[in-house]
């Protein structure tokens, strides 16, 4: 007997297109949530963008400074795991959860300025990550209540917005004279604005997911779904590459500029701008990915995106120490495709579990994915120390290989 659930590979169900979305305020809500995610997620790399300054201020090694990013990843893992276990995303109204979490995250991020050393900074960065667990996954569920036929495009827009938001601290850093305080407080101010926007302007759409009483078994029910596990394999392959690339690509660009013989303030600004652009271009990648996935199918899109991004991980090392005219195009292509498929894994997960478990499924998915990223972020500087930047990124191509294999298996189960 065929499944009653829509295929995760695309917007078709039972051989015909799902009825087009007609909620009158859907575009207004998409714009509101996209802007809120852009501002709220600027907290993620607020310390990473100024890690070089922290290295000088506290005499840190590159690996030690990497904990300013890894702490957020691990805090996010803890926050999403707790949220999944307690079913928070399916029990607490999304508007309330988002607004409270964004305010708390803004406060924790600002407290990094009070740290006198790395240990205290790591604590506040980890707590920032915990709070961001109430900002990232709920937004994907929130926009899904407004879109069905174009859900891939809608979730892709949200992920694209948060991608640009994560890159914002690098843009602030590129402003001449920008300090640690400038970068940190601008990100916190953005998160406060995001909380206000969602609290005052958001409400669920006509396709809201049905509420369900608390159950300890909800996580187990999600994990027992074999197709969800295959989608999860694709997502883990994607995450193996994504955050290590985002964390270290700006550092790679700065090191390459120095190796090419450029120095001085102008060289630093160029490196920061290219680093920002390589991350921010992912916003366009997510929008493109959403549009293509709704038209060609999610499996096709994620396999193409992972194939291109994995190739860039192998190729970009050959541009190290060369002109930015050679390095920047590869970095921009990588930044575009490395995130272009991200939202579609969330759409797949939402289609493969019962409606009452969507919030928990998305939260569990992100929790496991970000746990993986914490290890890979720390792996890259170890490889760089041993083999140098020209080869340090090659290990990231392993993720797309595994991810593509998992999605191909998932596609076979839908036929």
């Amino acid at each position: 007997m065929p499944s009653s659930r829509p295929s995760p590979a695309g917007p078709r169900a039972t051989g015909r297109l799902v009825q087009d979305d007609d909620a009158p305020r859907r575009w207004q809500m998409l714009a509101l949530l996209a802007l809120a995610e852009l501002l709220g997620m600027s907290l993620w790399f607020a310390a990473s963008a100024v890690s070089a300054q922290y290295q000088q201020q506290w005499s840190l090694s590159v690996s030690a400074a990497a904990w300013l990013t890894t702490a957020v990843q691990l805090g996010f893992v803890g926050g999403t795991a707790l949220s999944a276990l307690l079913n928070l995303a399916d029990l607490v109204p999304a508007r309330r959860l988002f607004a409270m979490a964004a305010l708390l995250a803004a406060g924790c991020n600002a407290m990094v300025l009070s740290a006198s050393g790395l240990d205290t900074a790591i604590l506040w960065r980890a707590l920032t990550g915990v709070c961001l667990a109430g900002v990232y996954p709920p937004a994907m569920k929130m926009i899904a209540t407004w879109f069905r036929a174009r859900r891939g495009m809608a979730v892709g827009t949200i992920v694209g917005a948060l991608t640009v938001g994560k890159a914002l601290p690098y843009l602030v850093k590129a402003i001449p004279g920008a300090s640690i305080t400038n970068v940190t407080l601008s990100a916190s101010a953005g998160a406060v604005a995001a909380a206000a926007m969602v609290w005052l302007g958001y409400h669920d759409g006509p396709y809201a997911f049905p509420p369900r009483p608390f159950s300890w078994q909800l996580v187990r029910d999600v994990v027992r779904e074999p197709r969800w596990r295959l989608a999860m394999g694709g997502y883990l392959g994607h995450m193996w590459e994504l955050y290590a690339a985002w964390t270290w690509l700006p550092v790679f660009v700065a090191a390459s500029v120095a190796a090419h013989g450029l120095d001085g303030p102008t060289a630093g600004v160029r490196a920061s701008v290219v680093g920002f652009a390589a991350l921010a271009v992912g916003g366009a990648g997510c929008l493109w990915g959403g549009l293509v996935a709704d038209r060609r199918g999610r499996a096709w899109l994620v396999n193409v995106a992972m194939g291109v991004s994995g190739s860039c991980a192998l190729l970009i090392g050959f541009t190290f120490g060369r002109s930015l005219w050679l390095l920047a195009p590869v970095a921009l292509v990588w930044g575009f495709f490395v995130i272009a498929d991200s939202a579609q894994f969330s759409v797949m997960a939402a289609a493969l579990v019962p409606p009452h478990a969507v919030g928990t499924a998305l939260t569990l998915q992100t929790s496991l994915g970000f746990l993986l990223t914490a290890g890979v972020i720390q792996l890259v500087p170890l490889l760089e120390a041993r083999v140098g930047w020209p080869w340090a990124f090659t290990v990231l191509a392993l993720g797309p290989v595994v991810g593509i294999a998992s999605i191909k298996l998932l596609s076979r189960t839908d036929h």
Side-chain angles (χ1 to χ4, degrees), residues 37-54 65-73 109 112 125 128-129 132 136 162-173 179-180 182-188 239 241-251 275-276 278-280 338-339 370 373 377:
E37 280 292 289
L38 186 152
L39 295 173
M41 296 305 290
S42 64
L43 298 172
W44 201 284
F45 288 128
S48 309
V50 289
S51 61
Q53 287 94 315
Y54 279 120
W67 279 101
L68 293 168
T69 302
T70 302
V72 181
Q73 311 291 120
N109 178 69
V112 175
R125 293 295 290 158
T128 301
L132 287 175
Y136 184 175
L162 69 88
T163 300
V164 177
K166 288 180 179 181
L168 276 182
Y170 291 98
L171 183 60
V172 176
K173 180 193 173 188
S179 65
I180 290 176
N182 298 145
V183 174
T184 302
L185 292 184
S186 63
S188 288
M239 292 297 281
E241 179 189 19
L242 176 61
Y243 273 83
W246 272 357
T247 300
W248 295 110
L249 189 52
V251 179
F276 163 76
L279 271 62
V338 76
I339 187 65
F370 279 85
T373 67
I377 287 172

Coordinates of all heavy atoms in Angstrom, one line a residue, residues 37-54 65-73 109 112 125 128-129 132 136 162-173 179-180 182-188 239 241-251 275-276 278-280 338-339 370 373 377:
E37 N 15.6 36.1 11.1 CA 16.7 35.1 11.1 C 18.0 35.7 10.8 O 19.0 35.4 11.3 CB 16.3 34.0 10.1 CG 15.4 32.9 10.7 CD 16.0 32.1 11.8 OE1 16.9 31.3 11.6 OE2 15.6 32.3 13.0
L38 N 18.0 36.6 9.8 CA 19.2 37.3 9.4 C 19.8 38.1 10.6 O 21.0 38.0 10.8 CB 18.9 38.3 8.2 CG 20.1 39.0 7.6 CD1 19.7 39.3 6.1 CD2 20.4 40.3 8.3
L39 N 19.0 38.8 11.3 CA 19.5 39.6 12.4 C 19.8 38.7 13.6 O 20.9 38.8 14.3 CB 18.4 40.6 12.9 CG 18.1 41.7 11.8 CD1 16.9 42.5 12.3 CD2 19.3 42.5 11.6
G40 N 19.0 37.7 13.9 CA 19.2 36.8 15.1 C 20.4 36.0 15.0 O 21.2 35.8 15.9
M41 N 20.7 35.4 13.8 CA 21.8 34.5 13.6 C 23.1 35.2 13.4 O 24.1 34.5 13.2 CB 21.5 33.5 12.5 CG 20.2 32.6 12.7 SD 20.4 31.7 14.3 CE 21.6 30.5 13.8
S42 N 23.1 36.5 13.4 CA 24.4 37.2 13.3 C 25.2 36.9 14.6 O 26.4 37.2 14.6 CB 24.2 38.7 13.1 OG 23.5 39.3 14.3
L43 N 24.6 36.4 15.6 CA 25.3 36.1 16.8 C 26.3 34.9 16.6 O 27.3 34.8 17.4 CB 24.4 35.7 17.9 CG 23.3 36.7 18.4 CD1 22.3 36.1 19.3 CD2 24.0 37.9 19.0
W44 N 26.1 34.1 15.6 CA 26.8 32.8 15.5 C 28.3 33.0 15.4 O 29.1 32.4 16.1 CB 26.3 32.0 14.4 CG 26.6 30.5 14.5 CD1 27.8 30.0 14.3 CD2 25.7 29.5 14.9 NE1 27.7 28.6 14.5 CE2 26.5 28.3 14.9 CE3 24.4 29.5 15.3 CZ2 25.9 27.1 15.3 CZ3 23.8 28.3 15.6 CH2 24.6 27.1 15.6
F45 N 28.7 33.9 14.5 CA 30.1 34.1 14.2 C 30.6 35.4 14.8 O 31.7 35.9 14.3 CB 30.4 34.0 12.7 CG 30.4 32.6 12.2 CD1 29.6 32.3 11.1 CD2 31.1 31.5 12.8 CE1 29.5 31.0 10.6 CE2 31.0 30.2 12.3 CZ 30.2 30.0 11.2
A46 N 29.9 36.0 15.7 CA 30.3 37.3 16.3 C 31.7 37.3 16.9 O 32.4 38.2 16.8 CB 29.3 37.8 17.3
A47 N 32.0 36.2 17.6 CA 33.4 36.1 18.2 C 34.4 35.5 17.1 O 35.6 35.9 17.2 CB 33.3 35.2 19.4
S48 N 33.9 34.7 16.3 CA 34.8 34.1 15.3 C 35.4 35.2 14.3 O 36.5 35.1 13.9 CB 34.1 33.0 14.4 OG 33.4 32.1 15.3
A49 N 34.5 36.2 14.0 CA 35.0 37.2 13.1 C 36.1 38.0 13.6 O 36.9 38.6 12.8 CB 33.8 38.1 12.7
V50 N 36.2 38.1 14.9 CA 37.3 38.8 15.6 C 38.3 37.9 16.3 O 38.9 38.3 17.3 CB 36.7 39.9 16.5 CG1 36.1 41.0 15.7 CG2 35.7 39.4 17.5
S51 N 38.3 36.7 15.9 CA 39.2 35.7 16.6 C 40.7 36.1 16.5 O 41.4 35.9 17.5 CB 39.0 34.3 16.0 OG 39.4 34.3 14.7
A52 N 41.1 36.8 15.4 CA 42.5 37.2 15.4 C 42.8 38.2 16.4 O 43.9 38.2 17.0 CB 42.7 37.8 14.0
Q53 N 41.8 39.1 16.7 CA 42.0 40.1 17.8 C 42.1 39.4 19.2 O 42.9 39.8 20.0 CB 40.9 41.1 17.8 CG 41.0 42.1 16.7 CD 40.2 41.7 15.5 OE1 40.2 40.6 15.0 NE2 39.4 42.7 14.9
Y54 N 41.3 38.4 19.4 CA 41.3 37.6 20.6 C 42.6 36.9 20.7 O 43.2 36.7 21.8 CB 40.1 36.6 20.7 CG 38.8 37.3 21.1 CD1 37.7 37.3 20.3 CD2 38.7 37.9 22.4 CE1 36.5 37.8 20.7 CE2 37.5 38.4 22.8 CZ 36.4 38.4 22.0 OH 35.3 39.0 22.4
A65 N 41.8 29.5 19.6 CA 40.8 30.4 19.2 C 39.6 29.8 18.5 O 38.5 30.3 18.5 CB 41.4 31.4 18.2
A66 N 39.8 28.6 17.9 CA 38.7 27.9 17.3 C 37.6 27.5 18.2 O 36.4 27.4 17.8 CB 39.2 26.7 16.6
W67 N 37.9 27.5 19.5 CA 36.9 27.1 20.5 C 35.8 28.2 20.6 O 34.7 28.0 21.2 CB 37.5 26.9 21.9 CG 38.1 25.5 21.9 CD1 39.3 25.1 21.8 CD2 37.3 24.3 22.1 NE1 39.4 23.7 21.9 CE2 38.2 23.2 22.1 CE3 35.9 24.0 22.4 CZ2 37.8 21.9 22.3 CZ3 35.5 22.7 22.5 CH2 36.4 21.7 22.5
L68 N 36.1 29.4 20.2 CA 35.1 30.5 20.2 C 34.0 30.1 19.2 O 32.8 30.6 19.4 CB 35.7 31.8 19.7 CG 36.8 32.4 20.7 CD1 37.5 33.6 20.1 CD2 36.1 32.9 22.0
T69 N 34.3 29.3 18.2 CA 33.2 28.8 17.3 C 32.7 27.5 17.8 O 31.5 27.3 17.8 CB 33.7 28.7 15.9 OG1 34.2 30.0 15.4 CG2 32.7 28.2 15.0
T70 N 33.6 26.6 18.2 CA 33.2 25.3 18.6 C 32.3 25.3 19.8 O 31.3 24.5 19.9 CB 34.4 24.4 18.9 OG1 35.3 24.4 17.8 CG2 34.0 23.0 19.3
A71 N 32.5 26.3 20.7 CA 31.6 26.4 21.9 C 30.2 26.7 21.5 O 29.2 26.2 22.1 CB 32.2 27.5 22.8
V72 N 30.0 27.5 20.4 CA 28.6 27.8 20.0 C 28.0 26.5 19.4 O 26.8 26.2 19.7 CB 28.6 28.9 18.9 CG1 27.2 29.2 18.4 CG2 29.3 30.1 19.5
Q73 N 28.8 25.7 18.6 CA 28.3 24.5 18.1 C 27.8 23.5 19.2 O 26.7 23.0 19.1 CB 29.4 23.8 17.2 CG 30.1 24.7 16.2 CD 29.2 25.1 15.1 OE1 29.0 26.3 14.8 NE2 28.7 24.2 14.3
N109 N 25.7 36.7 24.4 CA 26.7 37.2 23.5 C 27.4 38.4 24.0 O 28.6 38.6 23.9 CB 26.1 37.4 22.1 CG 27.1 37.9 21.1 OD1 28.0 37.2 20.7 ND2 27.0 39.2 20.7
V112 N 30.2 38.2 26.6 CA 31.6 37.8 26.2 C 32.5 39.0 26.4 O 33.7 38.8 26.7 CB 31.6 37.3 24.7 CG1 33.0 37.0 24.2 CG2 30.7 36.1 24.5
R125 N 29.9 31.9 25.1 CA 29.6 31.5 23.7 C 28.8 30.2 23.7 O 27.9 30.0 22.8 CB 31.0 31.3 22.9 CG 31.7 32.6 22.7 CD 31.0 33.5 21.8 NE 30.9 33.1 20.4 CZ 30.1 33.4 19.5 NH1 29.1 34.3 19.9 NH2 30.1 33.0 18.3
T128 N 25.3 31.1 24.4 CA 24.7 31.7 23.3 C 24.2 30.6 22.3 O 23.1 30.7 21.8 CB 25.8 32.6 22.5 OG1 26.2 33.6 23.4 CG2 25.1 33.2 21.3
G129 N 25.0 29.6 22.1 CA 24.6 28.5 21.3 C 23.4 27.8 21.8 O 22.5 27.4 21.0
L132 N 20.4 29.8 20.9 CA 20.1 29.8 19.5 C 19.4 28.6 19.0 O 18.8 28.6 17.9 CB 21.4 30.0 18.7 CG 22.0 31.4 18.7 CD1 23.4 31.4 18.0 CD2 21.1 32.4 18.1
Y136 N 16.8 29.0 15.6 CA 17.1 28.4 14.3 C 16.0 27.3 13.9 O 15.2 27.6 13.0 CB 18.5 27.8 14.3 CG 19.0 27.1 13.0 CD1 20.3 26.7 12.9 CD2 18.2 27.0 11.9 CE1 20.8 26.1 11.7 CE2 18.6 26.5 10.7 CZ 19.9 26.0 10.6 OH 20.4 25.4 9.5
L162 N 19.5 33.4 7.2 CA 20.4 33.2 8.3 C 21.8 33.0 7.9 O 22.7 33.3 8.7 CB 19.9 32.0 9.2 CG 20.0 30.6 8.7 CD1 21.3 29.9 9.0 CD2 18.8 29.7 9.3
T163 N 22.0 32.5 6.7 CA 23.4 32.4 6.1 C 24.0 33.8 6.0 O 25.1 34.0 6.4 CB 23.4 31.7 4.8 OG1 22.8 30.4 4.9 CG2 24.8 31.6 4.2
V164 N 23.2 34.7 5.4 CA 23.7 36.1 5.3 C 24.0 36.7 6.7 O 24.9 37.4 7.0 CB 22.8 37.0 4.5 CG1 23.2 38.4 4.5 CG2 22.6 36.4 3.1
G165 N 23.0 36.4 7.6 CA 23.2 36.9 9.0 C 24.4 36.4 9.7 O 25.1 37.1 10.4
K166 N 24.8 35.1 9.5 CA 26.0 34.6 10.1 C 27.2 35.3 9.5 O 28.3 35.4 10.2 CB 26.1 33.1 9.8 CG 25.1 32.3 10.7 CD 25.2 30.8 10.4 CE 24.2 30.0 11.3 NZ 24.3 28.6 11.1
A167 N 27.1 35.7 8.3 CA 28.3 36.4 7.6 C 28.4 37.9 8.1 O 29.5 38.5 7.9 CB 28.2 36.3 6.1
L168 N 27.3 38.5 8.6 CA 27.3 39.9 8.9 C 28.5 40.4 9.8 O 29.0 41.4 9.6 CB 26.0 40.3 9.6 CG 24.8 40.6 8.7 CD1 23.6 41.0 9.5 CD2 25.2 41.7 7.7
P169 N 28.9 39.6 10.8 CA 30.0 40.1 11.7 C 31.3 40.3 10.8 O 32.1 41.2 11.2 CB 30.2 39.0 12.7 CG 28.8 38.4 12.8 CD 28.3 38.4 11.4
Y170 N 31.5 39.5 9.8 CA 32.7 39.7 8.9 C 32.6 41.0 8.2 O 33.6 41.7 7.9 CB 32.8 38.5 8.0 CG 33.2 37.3 8.7 CD1 32.3 36.3 9.0 CD2 34.6 37.0 9.0 CE1 32.6 35.1 9.7 CE2 34.9 35.9 9.7 CZ 34.0 34.9 10.0 OH 34.3 33.8 10.7
L171 N 31.3 41.4 7.8 CA 31.2 42.7 7.1 C 31.4 43.9 8.1 O 32.0 44.8 7.7 CB 29.7 42.8 6.5 CG 29.4 44.0 5.7 CD1 30.3 44.1 4.5 CD2 27.9 44.0 5.3
V172 N 30.9 43.7 9.3 CA 31.1 44.8 10.3 C 32.6 44.9 10.6 O 33.2 46.0 10.7 CB 30.4 44.5 11.6 CG1 30.7 45.5 12.7 CG2 28.9 44.4 11.3
K173 N 33.3 43.7 10.6 CA 34.7 43.7 10.9 C 35.5 44.4 9.8 O 36.6 45.0 10.0 CB 35.2 42.3 11.0 CG 36.7 42.2 11.3 CD 37.2 40.8 11.1 CE 38.7 40.7 11.2 NZ 39.2 39.4 10.8
S179 N 36.0 47.4 16.1 CA 36.7 46.7 17.3 C 35.8 45.5 17.7 O 34.8 45.2 17.1 CB 36.7 47.6 18.5 OG 35.4 48.0 18.9
I180 N 36.4 44.7 18.6 CA 35.6 43.6 19.2 C 34.3 44.0 19.7 O 33.3 43.4 19.5 CB 36.5 42.9 20.3 CG1 37.7 42.2 19.7 CG2 35.6 41.9 21.1 CD1 38.6 41.6 20.7
N182 N 32.5 46.7 18.8 CA 31.6 47.0 17.7 C 30.9 45.8 17.1 O 29.7 45.7 17.0 CB 32.3 47.7 16.6 CG 32.9 49.0 17.1 OD1 34.0 49.4 16.6 ND2 32.3 49.8 18.0
V183 N 31.7 44.8 16.8 CA 31.2 43.5 16.2 C 30.2 42.8 17.2 O 29.2 42.4 16.8 CB 32.4 42.6 15.8 CG1 31.8 41.3 15.3 CG2 33.2 43.3 14.7
T184 N 30.6 42.7 18.4 CA 29.8 42.0 19.4 C 28.5 42.6 19.6 O 27.4 42.0 19.6 CB 30.6 41.8 20.7 OG1 31.8 41.2 20.5 CG2 29.8 41.0 21.7
L185 N 28.5 43.9 19.9 CA 27.2 44.6 20.3 C 26.3 44.8 19.1 O 25.1 44.8 19.3 CB 27.6 45.9 20.9 CG 28.2 45.9 22.3 CD1 28.4 47.3 22.9 CD2 27.4 45.0 23.3
S186 N 26.9 44.9 17.9 CA 26.0 45.0 16.7 C 25.2 43.7 16.5 O 24.0 43.7 16.2 CB 26.8 45.4 15.5 OG 27.7 44.3 15.2
A187 N 25.9 42.6 16.8 CA 25.2 41.3 16.7 C 24.1 41.2 17.7 O 23.0 40.7 17.4 CB 26.2 40.2 16.8
S188 N 24.4 41.6 19.0 CA 23.4 41.5 20.0 C 22.2 42.4 19.7 O 21.0 42.0 20.0 CB 24.0 41.8 21.4 OG 24.9 40.8 21.8
M239 N 26.7 18.4 6.7 CA 27.2 19.2 7.9 C 28.7 18.9 8.1 O 29.3 19.8 8.7 CB 26.3 18.8 9.1 CG 24.9 19.3 9.0 SD 24.8 21.1 9.0 CE 25.1 21.5 10.7
E241 N 30.9 19.0 6.1 CA 31.6 20.0 5.3 C 31.3 21.5 5.7 O 32.1 22.3 5.7 CB 31.3 19.8 3.8 CG 31.9 20.8 2.8 CD 31.4 20.7 1.4 OE1 30.3 20.1 1.2 OE2 32.0 21.2 0.5
L242 N 30.0 21.7 5.9 CA 29.5 23.1 6.0 C 30.2 24.0 7.0 O 30.7 25.0 6.6 CB 28.0 23.1 6.2 CG 27.3 24.5 6.4 CD1 27.5 25.3 5.1 CD2 25.8 24.3 6.7
Y243 N 30.1 23.7 8.3 CA 30.6 24.6 9.3 C 32.1 24.7 9.4 O 32.6 25.8 9.7 CB 29.9 24.3 10.6 CG 28.6 25.0 10.8 CD1 27.4 24.4 10.3 CD2 28.5 26.3 11.4 CE1 26.2 25.1 10.4 CE2 27.3 26.9 11.5 CZ 26.1 26.3 11.0 OH 24.9 26.9 11.0
A244 N 32.8 23.6 9.0 CA 34.2 23.7 8.9 C 34.6 24.7 7.8 O 35.6 25.5 7.9 CB 34.8 22.4 8.7
A245 N 33.9 24.6 6.7 CA 34.2 25.5 5.6 C 33.9 27.0 6.0 O 34.7 27.9 5.7 CB 33.3 25.1 4.3
W246 N 32.7 27.2 6.6 CA 32.3 28.5 7.0 C 33.3 29.1 8.0 O 33.7 30.3 8.0 CB 30.9 28.5 7.6 CG 29.9 28.7 6.6 CD1 30.0 28.9 5.3 CD2 28.4 28.7 6.9 NE1 28.7 29.0 4.7 CE2 27.8 28.9 5.7 CE3 27.7 28.5 8.1 CZ2 26.4 28.9 5.6 CZ3 26.3 28.5 8.0 CH2 25.7 28.7 6.7
T247 N 33.8 28.3 9.0 CA 34.6 28.7 10.1 C 36.0 29.1 9.5 O 36.6 30.1 9.9 CB 34.8 27.7 11.2 OG1 33.5 27.4 11.7 CG2 35.7 28.1 12.3
W248 N 36.6 28.3 8.6 CA 38.0 28.4 8.3 C 38.2 29.1 6.9 O 39.3 29.5 6.6 CB 38.6 27.0 8.3 CG 38.7 26.5 9.7 CD1 38.0 25.4 10.2 CD2 39.5 27.0 10.8 NE1 38.3 25.3 11.5 CE2 39.2 26.2 11.9 CE3 40.3 28.1 10.9 CZ2 39.7 26.5 13.2 CZ3 40.9 28.3 12.1 CH2 40.6 27.5 13.3
L249 N 37.2 29.2 6.1 CA 37.4 29.8 4.8 C 37.8 31.3 4.9 O 38.8 31.7 4.2 CB 36.1 29.7 4.0 CG 36.2 30.2 2.5 CD1 37.4 29.5 1.8 CD2 34.9 29.9 1.8
P250 N 37.2 32.1 5.8 CA 37.8 33.5 6.0 C 39.2 33.5 6.5 O 40.0 34.3 6.1 CB 36.8 34.1 7.0 CG 35.6 33.3 6.9 CD 36.0 31.9 6.6
V251 N 39.6 32.5 7.4 CA 41.0 32.4 7.8 C 41.9 32.0 6.7 O 43.0 32.5 6.6 CB 41.0 31.4 9.0 CG1 42.5 31.3 9.5 CG2 40.1 31.8 10.1
G275 N 36.0 37.1 2.6 CA 35.5 36.2 3.5 C 34.0 36.3 3.8 O 33.2 35.4 3.8
F276 N 33.5 37.6 3.9 CA 32.1 37.9 4.1 C 31.3 37.4 2.8 O 30.3 36.8 2.9 CB 31.9 39.4 4.3 CG 30.5 39.8 4.0 CD1 29.5 39.6 4.9 CD2 30.1 40.5 2.8 CE1 28.2 40.0 4.7 CE2 28.8 40.9 2.6 CZ 27.8 40.6 3.5
A278 N 32.1 35.2 0.6 CA 32.0 33.7 0.4 C 31.0 33.1 1.3 O 30.4 32.0 0.9 CB 33.4 33.1 0.7
L279 N 30.7 33.7 2.4 CA 29.6 33.2 3.3 C 28.3 33.7 2.9 O 27.3 33.0 2.8 CB 29.9 33.5 4.8 CG 30.7 32.5 5.6 CD1 32.1 32.4 5.0 CD2 30.8 33.0 7.1
A280 N 28.2 35.0 2.6 CA 26.9 35.6 2.3 C 26.3 35.2 1.0 O 25.1 35.1 0.9 CB 27.1 37.2 2.3
V338 N 27.7 25.2 -1.0 CA 27.9 24.4 0.3 C 26.7 24.5 1.2 O 26.4 23.6 2.0 CB 29.2 24.9 1.0 CG1 28.9 26.2 1.7 CG2 29.6 23.8 2.1
I339 N 25.9 25.5 1.0 CA 24.6 25.7 1.8 C 23.4 25.6 0.9 O 22.3 25.6 1.5 CB 24.7 27.1 2.5 CG1 23.6 27.3 3.5 CG2 24.7 28.2 1.5 CD1 23.6 26.4 4.7
F370 N 25.0 19.3 14.2 CA 25.9 20.3 14.8 C 26.9 19.6 15.8 O 28.0 20.1 16.0 CB 25.1 21.4 15.5 CG 24.6 22.4 14.6 CD1 23.4 22.3 13.9 CD2 25.4 23.6 14.3 CE1 23.0 23.2 13.0 CE2 24.9 24.5 13.4 CZ 23.7 24.4 12.8
T373 N 29.7 18.8 13.5 CA 30.5 19.9 13.1 C 31.5 20.3 14.1 O 32.6 20.8 13.7 CB 29.6 21.1 12.8 OG1 29.0 21.6 14.0 CG2 28.5 20.8 11.8
I377 N 35.3 21.1 12.9 CA 35.9 22.4 13.1 C 37.3 22.3 13.7 O 38.2 23.0 13.3 CB 35.0 23.3 13.9 CG1 33.8 23.7 13.0 CG2 35.7 24.6 14.3 CD1 32.7 24.4 13.8

